[in-house]
Amino acid sequence: MSTNRTTPPRSRRRARLVLAAAITAAAALTAPVSQAAPAAAEKPATAEKPSPGAPGLGDPMFPLDGNGGYQVDRYYLDFDWQAPRTPFEATTTIKARSTQALSRFNLDFGGNTLHTVTVNGTAALASRTGDELTVTPKSPIGKGSSFTVKVTYTADPTQTRHRDDAIEDYGWIPTPDGTVVYPQPNGSRLIFPGNDHPSQRAPITFRITTPGDRTAVANGKLVSRTERPGGRVRWTYDSEQPLSTQLVQLAIGTFRLIDGEGPGGLPLRDVVPDSLVEPTAAYRALTPDHLKWLEGKLGPYPFDRYGVLVGDTDLGVALETQTLSLVPKADLLGTRVDAERNLVHELTHQWFGDSVALKSWSDLWLSEGHARFYEREYSEQHGGDSFEAAMKTAYQAHDQWRRDYGAPAEPTEPNLFKRMRYDGSALVLYALREHVGDATFQQIERAWVRGFKGRTASTQQFVDLASKVAGQDLAGFLHPWLYGDRTPPMPGHPDWVVDPAT
């Protein structure tokens, strides 16, 4: 996610406490169930006693996000979209596998009007408190079992939430003739029920029915376009690879689908509102060059296709939705330097944050820091500001950002998407490159995206891998940068000075 616009600070900042009780409750629900020893050696072991799956994963930022006791194998999203800002009927079907014997389990689901819930075709009890939808099947689910959950509901394509950081509004975002979605950080629950945490990945099949004069798009590949009764059309997409819920994209509008080709024949697909096709054409045509430049730094692009969805919205936020980055129209109607910064930023995320996903929200610096690092490096080489000057400015403010927003790898929830996770985190990578040298730094980067492709990874795993590649223990160098109260000296720049945090 990127936002390069300057906005005045908000006068109101909501302080949110992470309740220890929520984490304690989640831990209690995931505690192993004690089992009595079998009466005789020749008898089979006692089956695990069913117990509730945890209502959250205990992430320090959002302790109730995600759920315990199962893993999602695939989502099927069926949306009968009608018109802009108009509620419509929706069904989410979840294929999952239990990781414990389940008496009940939770889904993350906020808003919308709930109708029915079934488990393996049988009606289940369902209750909702806040964003927690608790499902009690008629019969317990044995450990290691496959099961299917089907939820029917009425979706509201105007439903949004707000954060006082770079995210601003998120959820369903209306456009003049349809909708786009901003699911980051945890807005996918406004779109469909699921396991809403960046570490929980699963492929998705989208089946979106629209009026005949609208086009639906989503992550991945268009599988079919089928005429339906009443002049309607059903669009089916397959995400092709698993993705985190925060990276889901589906949009409806009067779009033009513009196909192209990237390096090595990579299929490219831009999705553009009719009125914006020509005004955005020149900057969108730069994607093959951006891909070539990033592949030279990081190695092969990690997915089967890529494209840009031009958002006909006034929000100042671009988003790295997997294989189809959402870029607001204003970002493509300004200067080339500004447009390329945002385009390269979201494309970089396909490696960092999408292919290599976050293990916890505290690892966000790895995603946003890398996207800002390569965005600024590219921009300097293509007519933009000096990368070193930008890092010197970030260094000067780093102690103040630590005080206000938390250290790079130690954010607080209200400040998760503040400046520290962008330039402040790119500065950590800049310091690492200055410390180990450019050649070793590039080896670390390529090893990271290659070794963790299609997986989740943590800050500690980055420190461990960087140490292995560099042939030296980098924990003593990186930990003060990532977690310390004060900004360490910048290698190679003894003249750089940090402003005191007053």
Side-chain angles (χ1 to χ4, degrees):
M1 189 275 288
S2 68
T3 173
N4 292 319
R5 304 180 195 176
T6 302
T7 56
R10 299 181 183 275
S11 60
R12 177 174 53 87
R13 182 175 297 154
R14 293 194 295 268
R16 301 174 183 167
L17 298 177
V18 176
L19 298 178
I23 300 176
T24 303
L29 285 167
T30 56
V33 179
S34 60
Q35 299 182 13
E42 66 273 10
K43 291 185 178 181
T46 304
E48 182 179 299
K49 181 180 178 182
S51 60
L57 297 178
D59 190 298
M61 300 299 104
F62 306 98
L64 289 178
D65 283 10
N67 304 285
Y70 66 93
Q71 292 287 330
V72 175
D73 290 331
R74 180 175 282 271
Y75 295 98
Y76 297 85
L77 307 183
D78 289 274
F79 291 159
D80 192 23
W81 191 87
Q82 298 296 316
R85 301 177 180 272
T86 302
F88 60 89
E89 297 311 300
T91 300
T92 293
T93 304
I94 303 171
K95 302 284 188 180
R97 290 173 291 108
S98 59
T99 57
Q100 68 178 71
L102 287 169
S103 59
R104 67 172 186 259
F105 58 90
N106 281 33
L107 299 171
D108 299 305
F109 190 43
N112 299 293
T113 303
L114 180 66
H115 298 317
T116 64
V117 180
T118 64
V119 177
N120 294 332
T122 301
L125 295 177
S127 62
R128 183 158 53 170
T129 302
D131 289 348
E132 294 298 318
L133 175 61
T134 302
V135 179
T136 304
K138 184 175 182 181
S139 300
I141 299 169
K143 181 178 180 180
S145 298
S146 296
F147 63 100
T148 301
V149 186
K150 186 174 183 179
V151 182
T152 64
Y153 54 102
T154 299
D156 178 1
T158 67
Q159 187 179 19
T160 63
R161 291 181 179 176
H162 182 81
R163 289 182 58 85
D164 288 334
D165 56 18
I167 292 292
E168 299 179 352
D169 296 330
Y170 63 103
W172 292 99
I173 303 297
T175 62
D177 56 11
T179 186
V180 297
V181 297
Y182 279 79
Q184 197 178 66
N186 54 7
S188 74
R189 67 193 58 189
L190 306 181
I191 317 301
F192 63 97
N195 209 357
D196 192 11
H197 187 269
S199 67
Q200 303 301 299
R201 298 153 60 94
I204 302 178
T205 298
F206 304 83
R207 296 182 288 239
I208 308 165
T209 304
T210 69
D213 62 347
R214 297 293 193 276
T215 297
V217 296
N219 309 86
K221 178 182 180 180
L222 176 61
V223 175
S224 66
R225 178 188 181 278
T226 307
E227 301 290 338
R228 306 288 287 178
R232 294 176 65 76
V233 177
R234 186 169 76 173
W235 308 80
T236 302
Y237 288 85
D238 185 344
S239 70
E240 300 181 287
Q241 287 89 20
L243 70 163
S244 303
T245 49
Q246 63 143 341
L247 303 175
V248 167
Q249 183 56 256
L250 64 94
I252 296 113
T254 53
F255 294 132
R256 188 95 55 86
L257 304 183
I258 302 171
D259 293 330
E261 188 174 287
L266 178 75
L268 299 180
R269 170 198 56 164
D270 287 346
V271 180
V272 192
D274 284 345
S275 63
L276 294 171
V277 171
E278 291 303 321
T280 63
Y283 296 158
R284 289 187 293 101
L286 299 171
T287 296
D289 293 336
H290 299 159
L291 279 160
K292 184 178 179 181
W293 187 86
L294 281 167
E295 287 188 334
K297 296 285 183 179
L298 303 172
Y301 174 74
F303 298 109
D304 295 334
R305 64 198 70 249
Y306 184 67
V308 171
L309 166 62
V310 179
D312 193 1
T313 76
D314 293 328
L315 292 182
V317 180
L319 194 61
E320 64 272 19
T321 42
Q322 191 164 301
T323 72
L324 185 63
S325 292
L326 174 58
V327 181
K329 60 183 178 181
D331 292 350
L332 299 172
L333 298 175
T335 68
R336 175 167 173 166
V337 166
D338 289 341
E340 288 200 275
R341 281 189 59 186
N342 282 291
L343 289 167
V344 171
H345 184 106
E346 304 312 329
L347 180 54
T348 303
H349 271 306
Q350 304 301 312
W351 281 268
F352 298 97
D354 292 19
S355 177
V356 184
L358 309 178
K359 187 159 285 188
S360 74
W361 278 112
S362 296
D363 303 316
L364 182 64
W365 79 273
L366 280 165
S367 175
E368 296 298 348
H370 273 104
R372 183 55 54 88
F373 181 94
Y374 288 105
E375 161 205 330
R376 286 203 175 276
E377 186 176 30
Y378 179 92
S379 186
E380 179 185 55
Q381 296 175 17
H382 295 81
D385 295 335
S386 163
F387 188 14
E388 181 177 306
M391 292 297 93
K392 185 177 182 180
T393 299
Y395 185 81
Q396 185 176 354
H398 221 244
D399 273 5
Q400 296 179 45
W401 293 348
R402 286 174 188 269
R403 177 200 61 196
D404 294 340
Y405 310 138
E410 215 164 38
T412 58
E413 188 274 326
N415 301 311
L416 185 57
F417 289 91
K418 290 291 181 73
R419 289 288 299 278
M420 182 56 95
R421 251 52 66 191
Y422 296 90
D423 281 302
S425 297
L427 186 71
V428 177
L429 299 169
Y430 186 87
L432 176 61
R433 188 178 70 173
E434 295 295 286
H435 181 68
V436 301
D438 186 64
T440 299
F441 179 77
Q442 289 189 34
Q443 291 173 4
I444 291 170
E445 297 290 89
R446 283 175 171 264
W448 178 254
V449 297
R450 181 178 64 249
F452 289 99
K453 179 181 178 180
R455 301 164 55 193
T456 60
S458 68
T459 297
Q460 186 58 53
Q461 286 172 303
F462 182 81
V463 173
D464 292 343
L465 179 138
S467 298
K468 181 178 179 180
V469 173
Q472 58 177 294
D473 186 356
L474 291 171
F477 175 79
L478 283 170
H479 279 201
W481 278 97
L482 292 168
Y483 300 105
D485 294 330
R486 295 288 182 269
T487 305
M490 176 59 72
H493 297 277
D495 58 317
W496 286 17
V497 177
V498 181
D499 286 344
T502 57

